[in-house]
PDB file of all heavy atoms in Angstrom:
ATOM      1  N   ILE B1369      17.581  -8.537 -37.391  1.00 97.00           N
ATOM      2  CA  ILE B1369      18.057  -7.208 -36.911  1.00 97.00           C
ATOM      3  C   ILE B1369      17.607  -6.080 -37.831  1.00 97.00           C
ATOM      4  O   ILE B1369      17.200  -5.080 -37.519  1.00 97.00           O
ATOM      5  CB  ILE B1369      19.578  -7.281 -36.673  1.00 97.00           C
ATOM      6  CG1 ILE B1369      19.892  -8.215 -35.526  1.00 97.00           C
ATOM      7  CG2 ILE B1369      20.193  -5.844 -36.575  1.00 97.00           C
ATOM      8  CD1 ILE B1369      21.354  -8.473 -35.097  1.00 97.00           C
ATOM      9  N   ASN B1370      17.983  -6.345 -39.290  1.00 97.00           N
ATOM     10  CA  ASN B1370      17.664  -5.353 -40.122  1.00 97.00           C
ATOM     11  C   ASN B1370      16.056  -5.134 -40.312  1.00 97.00           C
ATOM     12  O   ASN B1370      15.748  -4.061 -40.372  1.00 97.00           O
ATOM     13  CB  ASN B1370      18.187  -5.699 -41.515  1.00 97.00           C
ATOM     14  CG  ASN B1370      19.645  -5.613 -41.640  1.00 97.00           C
ATOM     15  OD1 ASN B1370      20.273  -4.812 -40.705  1.00 97.00           O
ATOM     16  ND2 ASN B1370      20.441  -6.391 -42.382  1.00 97.00           N
ATOM     17  N   ARG B1371      15.422  -6.283 -40.287  1.00 97.00           N
ATOM     18  CA  ARG B1371      13.902  -6.122 -40.538  1.00 97.00           C
ATOM     19  C   ARG B1371      13.307  -5.492 -39.295  1.00 97.00           C
ATOM     20  O   ARG B1371      12.322  -4.618 -39.488  1.00 97.00           O
ATOM     21  CB  ARG B1371      13.427  -7.495 -40.670  1.00 97.00           C
ATOM     22  CG  ARG B1371      12.525  -7.605 -41.842  1.00 97.00           C
ATOM     23  CD  ARG B1371      11.810  -8.990 -41.931  1.00 97.00           C
ATOM     24  NE  ARG B1371      12.588  -9.929 -42.801  1.00 97.00           N
ATOM     25  CZ  ARG B1371      12.041 -10.624 -43.748  1.00 97.00           C
ATOM     26  NH1 ARG B1371      10.790 -10.355 -43.994  1.00 97.00           N
ATOM     27  NH2 ARG B1371      12.741 -11.452 -44.388  1.00 97.00           N
ATOM     28  N   PHE B1372      13.622  -5.846 -38.106  1.00 98.00           N
ATOM     29  CA  PHE B1372      13.014  -5.398 -36.847  1.00 98.00           C
ATOM     30  C   PHE B1372      13.778  -4.500 -35.890  1.00 98.00           C
ATOM     31  O   PHE B1372      13.208  -3.542 -35.334  1.00 98.00           O
ATOM     32  CB  PHE B1372      12.434  -6.707 -36.118  1.00 98.00           C
ATOM     33  CG  PHE B1372      11.612  -7.451 -36.957  1.00 98.00           C
ATOM     34  CD1 PHE B1372      11.814  -8.776 -37.261  1.00 98.00           C
ATOM     35  CD2 PHE B1372      10.314  -6.931 -37.430  1.00 98.00           C
ATOM     36  CE1 PHE B1372      11.074  -9.548 -38.130  1.00 98.00           C
ATOM     37  CE2 PHE B1372       9.476  -7.747 -38.278  1.00 98.00           C
ATOM     38  CZ  PHE B1372       9.811  -9.083 -38.612  1.00 98.00           C
ATOM     39  N   ALA B1373      15.029  -4.946 -35.655  1.00 98.00           N
ATOM     40  CA  ALA B1373      15.724  -4.109 -34.518  1.00 98.00           C
ATOM     41  C   ALA B1373      15.957  -2.772 -34.943  1.00 98.00           C
ATOM     42  O   ALA B1373      15.850  -1.784 -34.217  1.00 98.00           O
ATOM     43  CB  ALA B1373      17.045  -4.860 -34.203  1.00 98.00           C
ATOM     44  N   ARG B1374      16.498  -2.555 -36.328  1.00 98.00           N
ATOM     45  CA  ARG B1374      16.766  -1.199 -36.703  1.00 98.00           C
ATOM     46  C   ARG B1374      15.555  -0.211 -36.662  1.00 98.00           C
ATOM     47  O   ARG B1374      15.672   0.979 -36.157  1.00 98.00           O
ATOM     48  CB  ARG B1374      17.384  -1.181 -38.124  1.00 98.00           C
ATOM     49  CG  ARG B1374      18.850  -1.627 -38.102  1.00 98.00           C
ATOM     50  CD  ARG B1374      19.385  -1.675 -39.488  1.00 98.00           C
ATOM     51  NE  ARG B1374      20.832  -2.033 -39.502  1.00 98.00           N
ATOM     52  CZ  ARG B1374      21.816  -1.271 -39.463  1.00 98.00           C
ATOM     53  NH1 ARG B1374      21.439   0.046 -39.401  1.00 98.00           N
ATOM     54  NH2 ARG B1374      23.085  -1.640 -39.422  1.00 98.00           N
ATOM     55  N   PRO B1375      14.436  -0.590 -37.187  1.00 98.00           N
ATOM     56  CA  PRO B1375      13.146   0.288 -36.902  1.00 98.00           C
ATOM     57  C   PRO B1375      12.839   0.402 -35.461  1.00 98.00           C
ATOM     58  O   PRO B1375      12.321   1.552 -35.210  1.00 98.00           O
ATOM     59  CB  PRO B1375      12.136  -0.481 -37.763  1.00 98.00           C
ATOM     60  CG  PRO B1375      12.737  -1.503 -38.588  1.00 98.00           C
ATOM     61  CD  PRO B1375      14.101  -1.890 -38.008  1.00 98.00           C
ATOM     62  N   LEU B1376      13.085  -0.562 -34.671  1.00 98.00           N
ATOM     63  CA  LEU B1376      12.736  -0.355 -33.305  1.00 98.00           C
ATOM     64  C   LEU B1376      13.722   0.629 -32.598  1.00 98.00           C
ATOM     65  O   LEU B1376      13.307   1.570 -31.836  1.00 98.00           O
ATOM     66  CB  LEU B1376      12.893  -1.691 -32.444  1.00 98.00           C
ATOM     67  CG  LEU B1376      11.793  -2.725 -32.701  1.00 98.00           C
ATOM     68  CD1 LEU B1376      12.317  -4.095 -32.127  1.00 98.00           C
ATOM     69  CD2 LEU B1376      10.442  -2.377 -31.970  1.00 98.00           C
ATOM     70  N   ILE B1377      14.959   0.681 -33.005  1.00 98.00           N
ATOM     71  CA  ILE B1377      15.880   1.650 -32.580  1.00 98.00           C
ATOM     72  C   ILE B1377      15.584   3.016 -33.026  1.00 98.00           C
ATOM     73  O   ILE B1377      15.791   4.021 -32.409  1.00 98.00           O
ATOM     74  CB  ILE B1377      17.394   1.258 -32.993  1.00 98.00           C
ATOM     75  CG1 ILE B1377      17.709  -0.093 -32.149  1.00 98.00           C
ATOM     76  CG2 ILE B1377      18.258   2.273 -32.737  1.00 98.00           C
ATOM     77  CD1 ILE B1377      18.919  -0.803 -32.703  1.00 98.00           C
ATOM     78  N   ALA B1378      15.211   3.078 -34.339  1.00 98.00           N
ATOM     79  CA  ALA B1378      14.752   4.308 -34.849  1.00 98.00           C
ATOM     80  C   ALA B1378      13.571   4.938 -34.318  1.00 98.00           C
ATOM     81  O   ALA B1378      13.264   6.072 -34.639  1.00 98.00           O
ATOM     82  CB  ALA B1378      14.759   4.168 -36.369  1.00 98.00           C
ATOM     83  N   GLY B1379      12.684   4.152 -33.507  1.00 98.00           N
ATOM     84  CA  GLY B1379      11.492   4.654 -33.082  1.00 98.00           C
ATOM     85  C   GLY B1379      10.426   4.584 -34.014  1.00 98.00           C
ATOM     86  O   GLY B1379       9.315   5.252 -33.956  1.00 98.00           O
ATOM     87  N   ARG B1380      10.670   3.883 -35.136  1.00 98.00           N
ATOM     88  CA  ARG B1380       9.564   3.709 -36.216  1.00 98.00           C
ATOM     89  C   ARG B1380       8.559   2.577 -35.868  1.00 98.00           C
ATOM     90  O   ARG B1380       7.412   2.655 -36.084  1.00 98.00           O
ATOM     91  CB  ARG B1380      10.146   3.383 -37.630  1.00 98.00           C
ATOM     92  CG  ARG B1380      10.905   4.580 -38.181  1.00 98.00           C
ATOM     93  CD  ARG B1380      11.653   4.159 -39.485  1.00 98.00           C
ATOM     94  NE  ARG B1380      10.789   3.276 -40.340  1.00 98.00           N
ATOM     95  CZ  ARG B1380      11.234   2.170 -40.967  1.00 98.00           C
ATOM     96  NH1 ARG B1380      12.545   1.737 -40.823  1.00 98.00           N
ATOM     97  NH2 ARG B1380      10.431   1.391 -41.598  1.00 98.00           N
ATOM     98  N   PHE B1381       9.188   1.487 -35.205  1.00 98.00           N
ATOM     99  CA  PHE B1381       8.292   0.440 -34.747  1.00 98.00           C
ATOM    100  C   PHE B1381       8.289   0.434 -33.231  1.00 98.00           C
ATOM    101  O   PHE B1381       9.211   1.026 -32.602  1.00 98.00           O
ATOM    102  CB  PHE B1381       8.891  -0.963 -35.176  1.00 98.00           C
ATOM    103  CG  PHE B1381       8.971  -1.303 -36.570  1.00 98.00           C
ATOM    104  CD1 PHE B1381       8.434  -0.342 -37.612  1.00 98.00           C
ATOM    105  CD2 PHE B1381       9.365  -2.464 -37.098  1.00 98.00           C
ATOM    106  CE1 PHE B1381       8.409  -0.628 -38.917  1.00 98.00           C
ATOM    107  CE2 PHE B1381       9.334  -2.723 -38.420  1.00 98.00           C
ATOM    108  CZ  PHE B1381       8.845  -1.867 -39.334  1.00 98.00           C
ATOM    109  N   PHE B1382       7.237  -0.227 -32.609  1.00 98.00           N
ATOM    110  CA  PHE B1382       7.211  -0.314 -31.212  1.00 98.00           C
ATOM    111  C   PHE B1382       7.440  -1.887 -30.926  1.00 98.00           C
ATOM    112  O   PHE B1382       7.085  -2.753 -31.616  1.00 98.00           O
ATOM    113  CB  PHE B1382       5.883   0.076 -30.638  1.00 98.00           C
ATOM    114  CG  PHE B1382       5.701   1.668 -30.576  1.00 98.00           C
ATOM    115  CD1 PHE B1382       5.486   2.458 -31.645  1.00 98.00           C
ATOM    116  CD2 PHE B1382       6.054   2.274 -29.305  1.00 98.00           C
ATOM    117  CE1 PHE B1382       5.324   3.739 -31.560  1.00 98.00           C
ATOM    118  CE2 PHE B1382       5.767   3.635 -29.133  1.00 98.00           C
ATOM    119  CZ  PHE B1382       5.594   4.356 -30.402  1.00 98.00           C
ATOM    120  N   GLY B1383       7.757  -2.153 -29.670  1.00 98.00           N
ATOM    121  CA  GLY B1383       8.019  -3.576 -29.349  1.00 98.00           C
ATOM    122  C   GLY B1383       7.118  -3.967 -28.152  1.00 98.00           C
ATOM    123  O   GLY B1383       6.646  -3.218 -27.407  1.00 98.00           O
ATOM    124  N   THR B1384       6.964  -5.286 -28.098  1.00 98.00           N
ATOM    125  CA  THR B1384       6.161  -5.916 -26.843  1.00 98.00           C
ATOM    126  C   THR B1384       6.934  -7.164 -26.450  1.00 98.00           C
ATOM    127  O   THR B1384       7.613  -7.780 -27.253  1.00 98.00           O
ATOM    128  CB  THR B1384       4.721  -6.186 -27.129  1.00 98.00           C
ATOM    129  OG1 THR B1384       4.652  -7.454 -27.862  1.00 98.00           O
ATOM    130  CG2 THR B1384       4.042  -5.088 -27.896  1.00 98.00           C
ATOM    131  N   MET B1385       6.522  -7.641 -25.286  1.00 97.00           N
ATOM    132  CA  MET B1385       6.942  -9.096 -24.943  1.00 97.00           C
ATOM    133  C   MET B1385       5.803  -9.896 -24.645  1.00 97.00           C
ATOM    134  O   MET B1385       4.967  -9.533 -23.874  1.00 97.00           O
ATOM    135  CB  MET B1385       7.919  -9.084 -23.774  1.00 97.00           C
ATOM    136  CG  MET B1385       7.620  -8.416 -22.671  1.00 97.00           C
ATOM    137  SD  MET B1385       8.914  -8.144 -21.396  1.00 97.00           S
ATOM    138  CE  MET B1385       9.555  -9.862 -21.046  1.00 97.00           C
ATOM    139  N   CYS B1386       5.578 -11.095 -25.311  1.00 97.00           N
ATOM    140  CA  CYS B1386       4.389 -11.896 -25.201  1.00 97.00           C
ATOM    141  C   CYS B1386       4.716 -13.184 -24.595  1.00 97.00           C
ATOM    142  O   CYS B1386       4.948 -14.140 -25.364  1.00 97.00           O
ATOM    143  CB  CYS B1386       3.781 -12.010 -26.570  1.00 97.00           C
ATOM    144  SG  CYS B1386       3.235 -10.487 -27.377  1.00 97.00           S
ATOM    145  N   LEU B1387       4.622 -13.284 -23.293  1.00 95.00           N
ATOM    146  CA  LEU B1387       5.013 -14.533 -22.591  1.00 95.00           C
ATOM    147  C   LEU B1387       3.735 -15.148 -22.033  1.00 95.00           C
ATOM    148  O   LEU B1387       3.378 -16.298 -22.358  1.00 95.00           O
ATOM    149  CB  LEU B1387       6.022 -14.307 -21.441  1.00 95.00           C
ATOM    150  CG  LEU B1387       7.429 -13.946 -21.755  1.00 95.00           C
ATOM    151  CD1 LEU B1387       7.600 -12.634 -22.275  1.00 95.00           C
ATOM    152  CD2 LEU B1387       8.331 -14.231 -20.606  1.00 95.00           C
ATOM    153  N   SER B1388       3.025 -14.499 -21.157  1.00 94.00           N
ATOM    154  CA  SER B1388       2.023 -14.995 -20.370  1.00 94.00           C
ATOM    155  C   SER B1388       0.719 -15.310 -21.309  1.00 94.00           C
ATOM    156  O   SER B1388       0.483 -14.744 -22.323  1.00 94.00           O
ATOM    157  CB  SER B1388       1.525 -13.911 -19.376  1.00 94.00           C
ATOM    158  OG  SER B1388       2.473 -13.501 -18.477  1.00 94.00           O
ATOM    159  N   GLU B1389       0.100 -16.398 -20.789  1.00 94.00           N
ATOM    160  CA  GLU B1389      -1.243 -16.778 -21.392  1.00 94.00           C
ATOM    161  C   GLU B1389      -2.233 -16.756 -20.178  1.00 94.00           C
ATOM    162  O   GLU B1389      -1.847 -16.771 -19.020  1.00 94.00           O
ATOM    163  CB  GLU B1389      -1.139 -18.134 -22.119  1.00 94.00           C
ATOM    164  CG  GLU B1389      -0.114 -18.003 -23.220  1.00 94.00           C
ATOM    165  CD  GLU B1389       0.276 -19.288 -23.878  1.00 94.00           C
ATOM    166  OE1 GLU B1389      -0.422 -20.355 -23.566  1.00 94.00           O
ATOM    167  OE2 GLU B1389       1.114 -19.292 -24.778  1.00 94.00           O
TER     168      GLU B1389
END
Side-chain angles (χ1 to χ4, degrees):
Chain B
I1369 289 174
N1370 288 334
R1371 228 187 268 238
F1372 301 117
R1374 284 176 176 270
L1376 287 167
I1377 292 165
R1380 289 173 41 223
F1381 293 3
F1382 283 80
T1384 80
M1385 56 195 301
C1386 300
L1387 287 77
S1388 300
E1389 299 173 6

